[in-house]
Amino acid sequence: MRRAYGAWATACAAVLLLAGCGTKSGGGDGKPPEQAPALTEEQARAALPDGAAMPGWKATLEPTATAMNDLYKSEACPTNGNQGCDDARFYGVSTFRRADGKAGADFRLVAYGSEKAAEAAYDTLWRLYAPKVGPTARKVDLGGPGDRGDAVLGTYGYEGGPGAVAQVRVGTALLWVEATGAREGDLDAALVKDLASRFGERAREAAG
């Protein structure tokens, strides 16, 4: 599996509007904001897109999630002593090819033990993944499928075909989408946004 190199720019705008950033209110009664729960292994698996969530695409790897270990840390957090994987509990992946053969999409997830751990890993992993889509990549506005996110669209790999990476935080999980196309026109910002939105929605539903 190719590494998914993560995603979609700007922490939620000025003053962190609660509705827009997904921050949960304490209700104005002085209580701290409610924190999102850590995902179970089954919830992590359910968060990954499957065939039902991807009409017009064929699964090349069905959703799989397992306990985080040293091997998966080397995949998700390959530098500086696996920096970015502190309190990482589960690792998951699913991959698809579009029916016309012109695009591929890899989905990856790391489920952390807390929102704090997921947020602490966010910038570290985004700095690692974003440059992999080429020096002329442009930002893509994902429209907010999670609590925070970034995406870039540019070129991928030695052949220079179109490629994109999106990284989204939904509660205690970080999600990545890596999308590639064979040639110019096979991949655009609308498709990147659509794939990230599907993943973010599934992660919300899985968390309950």
Side-chain angles (χ1 to χ4, degrees):
M1 181 202 74
R2 291 193 303 268
R3 290 189 182 116
Y5 298 106
W8 118 77
T10 85
C12 292
V15 200
L16 295 176
L17 296 173
L18 295 182
C21 296
T23 304
K24 297 180 180 180
S25 171
D29 56 5
K31 294 181 181 179
E34 180 185 353
Q35 295 296 298
L39 299 181
T40 65
E41 184 173 338
E42 183 55 39
Q43 286 173 321
R45 184 179 298 108
L48 293 158
D50 59 10
M54 296 287 289
W57 296 70
K58 181 179 180 180
T60 53
L61 179 63
E62 296 289 348
T64 303
T66 190
M68 182 63 82
N69 59 26
D70 289 344
L71 174 62
Y72 298 132
K73 284 181 180 180
S74 72
E75 284 289 317
C77 312
T79 62
N80 299 324
N82 304 133
Q83 185 178 6
C85 275
D86 292 345
D87 199 22
R89 302 178 64 200
F90 302 107
Y91 176 87
V93 62
S94 64
T95 67
F96 290 83
R97 191 74 186 165
R98 201 163 63 188
D100 62 11
K102 294 182 178 181
D106 295 354
F107 299 94
R108 188 170 55 153
L109 169 151
V110 173
Y112 294 83
S114 67
E115 284 191 74
K116 181 179 179 180
E119 181 62 23
Y122 190 99
D123 288 336
T124 296
L125 296 180
W126 178 239
R127 286 193 298 267
L128 177 65
Y129 299 150
K132 302 295 184 176
V133 189
T136 60
R138 61 186 177 89
K139 295 179 181 180
V140 176
D141 180 5
L142 298 181
D147 299 297
R148 183 182 179 188
D150 293 276
V152 286
L153 173 64
T155 57
Y156 179 87
Y158 295 110
E159 296 180 1
V165 173
Q167 176 175 294
V168 181
R169 181 175 72 82
V170 176
T172 58
L174 291 184
L175 321 176
W176 293 271
V177 181
E178 178 187 354
T180 56
R183 57 185 60 84
E184 187 176 355
D186 291 344
L187 181 65
D188 59 17
L191 178 57
V192 176
K193 180 177 179 179
D194 177 59
L195 295 172
S197 295
R198 296 188 202 196
F199 200 0
E201 289 168 7
R202 284 186 68 86
R204 289 279 188 214
E205 292 171 0

